[in-house]
């Protein structure tokens, strides 16, 4: 076995201090298998060593929360003995290296997180960030990622119902691919990962183990550099058809009383799944590596433990249930092998060819992994470093209609038809709405529906991390409220650059503080999530850090899906109400960036008390059946929101308020547009116009639609 030199330790991503901790934990030099296991378990991707300290400050509890962070996914009560189970994960680095498989296996991994807990997945979402469209790699990356998401989700039979896609030069060297899955389960059939029961069999099911994805978690915990292409073997390869079989086989076995614990093999594969199961159960674990199903000749224990081959699960079964479980998995043409047992040693022990090749105490691997309080600059110091230009004098707008057309054709606002046409959004026949403010999926066989939204405005987070963190949470709250759903809980995917830079750590702390305050004010806890750090490149030609991107996935509940409201205008003559006041804030607005090429000024502040009050007002108005269309005002301001409502309903509108640049394009927060019969009245709202005609701000719907459709169509045809 290879000698453990300083170079070998460094190649495994461990610092000198961390290696000293390994020596102390073991009381001796590790062998290569043990070093590899410490490497992946102490990676940023698995241990959250730079963020754990601050994640502990987030609110995670509410009466309807069944399971918060710490399991495969979060669980909330949705009534009638049912639960919604959901999580969001990142697959950023793999998707930059190999966009199709990187995105596809990101979808596969998040699906497993959800059905591992006993849920049938009912919806997929995604949040994508790309660099400049004219970057030489970007079209290839967009095409590969979208094809990968569609290729996996469509084949596995789970609808992809929505998401968001943004473009910014900060993502030129490091794109973001965040995937979210929502599932539904019975509250008395939820499964957890804690391994218990001395002598209980540990069972491996699913696909065979190969050499793909080895050190994927370590690669995802480092910056990119010029050797990016050499990292291609660290990207996993997915098989959605096998995943579909795995879902059905697991759910069939879950209907019995055979399972004690279950865990998917995600990042760090067999290592993380076995360590997490044993440590959560306060137990030990012994594995016979000769029993691990392998698809390649001569695989070593090191390769087996660190492989991230897809479509695999680890289970602890009750004694004597192995034959029944094996029959189920064989029926679904999947591998099944008893590879070990639960022990009471508190150690992970691996045997191979009759010899012990690994013996590690579980405490240092999991609960006692390194935790850092990284230094970070003050908000004042951060503002100096971020160097956001002051807003100064706002340019005048001589033609609101022309600026509207320019915005509607911009990459961040243009129609995503080219993307969503590649996704099967209707499989399962429970999808009620895609696009709009939130996707809505019926809870099968009931009147209930789940509303789902993914949101974040990275340019706000860069200019002011605290306000940006608040806004990301508040926007999902608005989007769920806008369809008539009560916001219940969120998951998140926290994407940042190198936490060892105090300015980046300030972004992390600021965003988390803003998120936490928003969740507390809105009674909207965080039940699951993922942290993805080191999202920056050091490639030749100048490196770049991504914008701070704490993507939020919100889930809300509708008691009666028949009351759902979309964004499209429906009836000529309806009054248009504005709740939340006219626009005044142009700092960090899309108008300022797209029309004038400036990213200047502070982002719009978020008043959390008003967010909560207005969300309550909108949900009440919808529940009373008074609203025909509702849309929150976000990127692009009032006039863009009106254009989107007009295009969705193919009906124009006329306004009775004067439009200046701030009224038209200001991105003040906590605002909604509501179309309702003219005799209805919404307290605290102002009537600004009426539905009808074929124009918005003097621009015809045909011209608006052409502008909206042009970006992706023209880009993909060139």
């Amino acid at each position: 076995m290879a000698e453990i030199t300083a170079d070998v330790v460094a190649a495994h991503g461990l610092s000198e201090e961390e290696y000293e901790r390994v020596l102390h934990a073991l009381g001796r030099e590790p062998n290569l298998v043990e070093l590899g296991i410490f490497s992946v378990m102490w990676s940023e991707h698995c241990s959250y060593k730079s963020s754990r300290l601050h994640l502990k400050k987030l609110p995670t509890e509410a009466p309807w929360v069944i399971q918060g962070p710490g399991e495969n996914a979060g669980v909330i009560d949705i009534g009638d003995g049912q639960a919604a189970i959901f999580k969001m994960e990142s697959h950023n680095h793999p998707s930059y290296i190999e966009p199709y498989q990187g995105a596809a296996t990101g979808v596969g991994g998040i699906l497993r997180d959800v059905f591992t807990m006993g849920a049938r997945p009912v919806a997929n979402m995604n949040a994508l960030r790309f660099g400049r469209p004219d970057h030489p790699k970007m079209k290839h990356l967009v095409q590969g990622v979208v094809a990968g998401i569609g290729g996996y989700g469509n084949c596995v039979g789970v609808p992809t119902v929505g998401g968001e896609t943004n473009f910014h030069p900060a993502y030129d060297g490091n794109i973001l691919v965040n995937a979210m899955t929502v599932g539904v389960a019975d509250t008395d059939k939820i499964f957890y990962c804690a391994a218990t029961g001395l002598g209980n069999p540990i069972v491996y099911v699913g696909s065979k183990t190969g050499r793909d994805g080895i050190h994927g978690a370590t690669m995802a915990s480092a910056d990119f550099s010029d050797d990016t292409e050499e990292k291609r073997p660290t990207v996993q390869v997915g098989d959605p058809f096998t995943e579909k079989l795995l879902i059905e086989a697991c759910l069939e076995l879950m209907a019995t009383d055979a399972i004690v614990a279950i865990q998917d093999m995600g990042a760090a594969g067999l290592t993380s799944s076995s360590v997490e199961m044993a440590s959560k159960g306060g137990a030990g674990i012994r594995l016979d590596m000769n029993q691990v199903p392998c698809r390649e000749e001569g695989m070593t224990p090191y390769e087996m433990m660190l492989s991230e081959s897809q479509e695999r699960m680890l289970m602890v079964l009750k004694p004597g249930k192995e034959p029944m479980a094996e029959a189920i998995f064989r029926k679904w043409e999947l591998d099944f092998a008893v590879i070990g047992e639960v022990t009471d040693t508190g150690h992970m022990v691996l045997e191979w060819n009759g010899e012990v090749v690994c013996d590690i105490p579980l405490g240092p691997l999991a609960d006692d992994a390194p935790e850092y309080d990284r230094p970070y600059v003050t908000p004042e110091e951060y503002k100096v470093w971020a160097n956001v230009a002051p807003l100064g004098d706002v340019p005048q707008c001589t033609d609101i209609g022309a600026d509207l057309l320019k915005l509607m054709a911009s990459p961040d606002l243009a129609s995503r038809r080219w993307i969503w046409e590649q996704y099967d959004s209707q499989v399962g026949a429970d999808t009620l709405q895609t696009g709009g403010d939130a996707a809505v999926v019926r809870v099968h066989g009931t009147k209930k529906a789940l509303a789902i939204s993914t949101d974040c405005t990275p340019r706000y987070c860069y200019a002011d991390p605290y306000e940006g963190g608040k806004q990301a949470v508040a926007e999902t709250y608005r989007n769920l409220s806008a369809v008539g759903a009560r916001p219940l809980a969120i998951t998140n995917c926290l994407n940042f650059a190198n936490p060892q830079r105090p300015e980046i750590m300030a972004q992390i702390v600021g965003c988390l503080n803003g998120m936490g305050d928003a969740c507390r004010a809105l009674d909207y806890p965080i039940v699951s999530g993922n942290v993805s750090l080191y999202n920056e490149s050091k490639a030749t030609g100048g490196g770049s850090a991504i914008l701070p991107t704490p993507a939020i996935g919100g889930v809300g509940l509708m008691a009666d899906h028949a009351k759902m409201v979309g964004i499209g205008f429906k009836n000529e003559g309806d009054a248009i109400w504005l709740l939340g006041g006219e626009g005044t804030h142009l700092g960090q607005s899309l108008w300022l960036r797209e029309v004038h090429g400036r990213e200047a000024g502070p982002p719009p502040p978020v008043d959390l008390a008003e967010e909560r009050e207005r969300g309550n007002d909108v949900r009440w108005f919808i529940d009373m059946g008074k609203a025909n269309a509702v849309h929150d005002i976000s990127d692009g301001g009032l006039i863009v929101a009106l254009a989107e409502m007009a295009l969705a309903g193919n009906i124009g509108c006329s306004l009775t308020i004067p439009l200046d640049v701030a009224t038209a394009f200001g991105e003040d927060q906590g605002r909604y547009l509501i179309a309702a019969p003219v005799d209805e009245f919404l307290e605290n709202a102002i009537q600004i116009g009426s539905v009808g005609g074929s124009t918005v701000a003097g621009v015809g719907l045909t011209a608006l639609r052409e502008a909206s459709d042009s970006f992706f169509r023209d880009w993909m045809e060139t």
Side-chain angles (χ1 to χ4, degrees):
M1 198 168 281
E3 181 186 355
I4 306 302
T5 64
D7 288 344
V8 172
V9 171
H12 282 74
L14 294 171
S15 68
E16 291 181 17
E17 294 79 8
E18 287 169 344
Y19 186 62
E20 286 297 322
R21 290 183 63 155
V22 171
L23 296 177
H24 178 74
L26 292 177
R28 57 175 171 81
E29 290 267 347
N31 62 36
L32 190 62
V33 176
E34 293 165 335
L35 182 70
I37 288 171
F38 272 105
S39 165
V40 293
M41 289 307 298
W42 286 5
S43 69
E44 202 73 66
H45 197 74
C46 290
S47 74
Y48 297 169
K49 57 191 175 187
S50 296
S51 56
R52 248 180 20 246
L53 183 72
H54 302 284
L55 293 173
K56 294 173 184 176
K57 305 171 187 175
L58 296 173
T60 60
E61 297 179 347
W64 53 89
V65 174
I66 296 173
Q67 175 65 54
E71 269 289 340
N72 286 291
V75 186
I76 57 172
D77 193 328
I78 59 171
D80 308 309
Q82 292 179 302
I85 300 181
F86 57 97
K87 190 181 181 184
M88 185 186 279
E89 276 269 13
S90 62
H91 233 220
N92 304 332
H93 288 59
S95 298
Y96 189 84
I97 297 165
E98 214 322 299
Y100 184 95
Q101 289 297 347
T105 52
V107 173
I110 196 63
L111 282 165
R112 285 194 300 283
D113 278 335
V114 167
F115 75 75
T116 293
M117 299 198 67
R120 179 171 289 281
V122 298
N124 286 334
M125 298 275 283
N126 53 72
L128 312 176
R129 319 282 167 183
F130 297 106
R132 291 168 293 137
D134 59 359
H135 185 281
K137 282 191 71 169
M138 211 49 58
K139 188 159 96 168
H140 162 72
L141 291 170
V142 172
Q143 289 172 331
V145 165
V146 171
I149 291 170
Y152 205 100
N154 297 353
C155 293
V156 84
V158 177
T160 301
V161 295
E164 56 176 347
T165 305
N166 297 140
F167 296 84
H168 192 279
Y171 305 101
D172 280 356
N174 197 127
I175 64 173
L176 302 185
V177 175
N178 297 171
M180 177 179 175
T181 294
V182 181
V184 174
D186 293 335
T187 52
D188 61 352
K189 282 287 185 182
I190 295 170
F191 291 82
Y192 300 95
C193 72
T196 57
L198 181 63
N200 279 350
I202 295 170
V203 172
Y204 171 119
V205 300
S207 290
K208 288 180 169 61
T209 295
R211 290 189 170 97
D212 54 321
I214 292 174
H215 275 301
T218 308
M219 177 270 294
S221 305
D223 298 333
F224 275 146
S225 57
D226 289 323
D227 64 350
T228 296
E229 288 303 313
E230 297 171 18
K231 294 180 178 177
R232 191 175 297 273
T234 62
V235 178
Q236 312 92 323
V237 178
D239 180 352
F241 298 106
T242 299
E243 182 105 336
K244 173 62 174 172
L245 300 177
L246 190 58
I247 292 173
E248 299 304 331
C250 286
L251 292 176
E252 184 174 336
L253 185 60
M254 286 167 169
T256 73
D257 65 345
I259 298 175
V260 175
I262 181 169
Q263 173 80 22
D264 83 294
M265 295 192 213
L270 188 52
T271 291
S272 64
S273 55
S274 55
V275 169
E276 287 171 17
M277 290 178 81
S279 60
K280 290 273 173 61
I285 194 167
R286 183 193 67 81
L287 300 181
D288 181 353
M289 304 308 292
N290 291 90
Q291 302 306 314
V292 174
C294 294
R295 67 168 179 258
E296 298 184 45
E297 290 291 323
M299 288 193 68
T300 65
Y302 178 93
E303 292 170 325
M304 294 179 211
M305 292 304 292
L306 301 189
S307 167
E308 294 185 6
S309 293
Q310 298 291 286
E311 294 86 40
R312 303 178 299 157
M313 313 282 278
L314 202 62
M315 298 181 181
V316 176
L317 299 182
K318 293 179 180 177
K321 299 294 185 180
E322 301 96 322
M324 177 190 68
E326 181 171 8
I328 290 172
F329 281 88
R330 297 293 182 201
K331 180 186 78 174
W332 290 100
E333 300 180 349
L334 296 166
D335 272 276
F336 178 99
V338 178
I339 66 168
E341 63 183 2
V342 178
T343 68
D344 60 1
T345 64
H347 280 233
M348 167 188 270
V349 176
L350 308 180
E351 298 174 359
W352 190 49
N353 295 337
E355 295 183 2
V356 173
V357 294
C358 170
D359 186 347
I360 302 178
L362 284 162
L365 275 182
D367 297 338
D368 301 329
E371 178 178 280
Y372 297 126
D373 185 0
R374 304 268 192 208
Y376 52 94
V377 299
T378 65
E380 292 72 26
E381 291 168 330
Y382 175 79
K383 286 181 180 177
V384 173
W385 173 84
N387 195 29
V388 176
L391 183 60
D393 292 333
V394 175
Q396 292 303 305
C397 175
T398 57
D399 189 337
I400 284 175
D403 286 359
L404 172 61
L405 284 171
K406 188 166 186 176
L407 279 175
M408 295 301 287
S410 68
D412 275 7
L413 288 178
S415 167
R416 269 68 179 131
R417 176 186 299 274
W418 179 87
I419 295 176
W420 57 253
E421 281 186 341
Q422 298 183 55
Y423 301 154
D424 186 343
S425 63
Q426 302 302 317
V427 61
D430 283 321
T431 304
L432 300 177
Q433 173 174 293
T434 61
D437 284 327
V440 182
V441 179
R442 178 172 44 217
V443 178
H444 195 76
T446 75
K447 293 172 64 178
K448 296 180 297 190
L450 296 173
I452 315 159
S453 178
T454 58
D455 292 289
C456 182
T457 312
R459 65 184 186 276
Y460 292 178
C461 295
Y462 180 82
D464 186 329
Y466 176 74
E467 285 296 333
K470 281 166 58 180
Q471 191 272 342
V473 171
E475 187 167 350
T476 67
Y477 186 88
R478 278 200 302 278
N479 283 332
L480 298 177
S481 297
V483 299
R486 177 189 167 209
L488 288 179
I490 67 173
T491 184
N492 59 63
C493 200
L494 307 175
N495 308 273
F496 295 93
N498 187 338
Q500 296 178 56
R501 297 165 58 193
E503 298 83 7
I504 301 301
M505 200 64 216
Q507 294 176 346
I508 297 171
V509 173
C511 284
L512 285 173
N513 287 342
M515 288 166 53
D517 284 352
C519 289
R520 279 181 283 269
L522 300 173
D523 206 9
Y524 192 33
I526 295 169
V527 297
S528 61
N530 168 246
V531 180
S532 175
L533 304 181
Y534 296 95
N535 288 291
E536 58 183 76
S537 68
K538 293 180 177 176
T540 303
S544 67
I546 65 161
L547 299 180
T549 312
I552 304 295
V555 175
L557 178 67
M558 302 182 68
D560 182 357
H561 59 69
K563 295 183 177 181
M564 177 190 77
V565 174
I567 70 169
F569 288 143
K570 285 185 177 179
N571 302 322
E572 298 243 2
D574 272 358
I576 301 174
W577 295 89
L578 170 62
L579 179 63
E582 294 184 17
T584 61
H585 194 100
L586 288 167
Q588 295 301 322
S589 67
L590 218 52
W591 174 81
L592 195 65
R593 188 183 85 189
E594 295 297 326
V595 176
H596 294 283
R598 294 177 57 198
E599 293 187 10
V606 178
D607 186 319
L608 294 169
E610 289 186 352
E611 286 283 1
R612 182 165 183 154
E613 182 180 342
R614 291 169 189 166
N616 288 338
D617 288 346
V618 167
R619 293 194 303 276
W620 173 84
F621 201 68
I622 292 172
D623 190 55
M624 297 300 291
K626 297 173 180 289
N628 288 328
V630 179
H631 193 11
D632 87 308
I633 297 175
S634 56
D635 282 348
L638 170 76
I639 203 71
V640 166
L642 286 168
E644 290 170 342
M645 296 175 85
L647 289 176
N650 206 31
I651 309 174
C653 64
S654 57
L655 299 180
T656 55
I657 58 169
L659 284 181
D660 60 19
V661 64
T663 306
F665 301 111
E667 295 181 8
D668 305 62
Q669 296 295 292
R671 299 191 298 154
Y672 299 81
L673 287 168
I674 299 128
V678 72
D679 55 349
E680 295 293 354
F681 174 72
L682 179 59
E683 192 175 355
N684 301 321
I686 57 172
Q687 188 173 343
I688 63 166
S690 59
V691 176
S694 59
T695 64
V696 176
V699 181
L701 293 185
T702 301
L704 282 172
R705 197 173 303 281
E706 169 59 23
S708 180
D709 288 344
S710 62
F711 168 68
F712 273 103
R713 182 197 65 209
D714 296 348
W715 188 30
M716 291 303 163
E717 285 179 357
T718 54

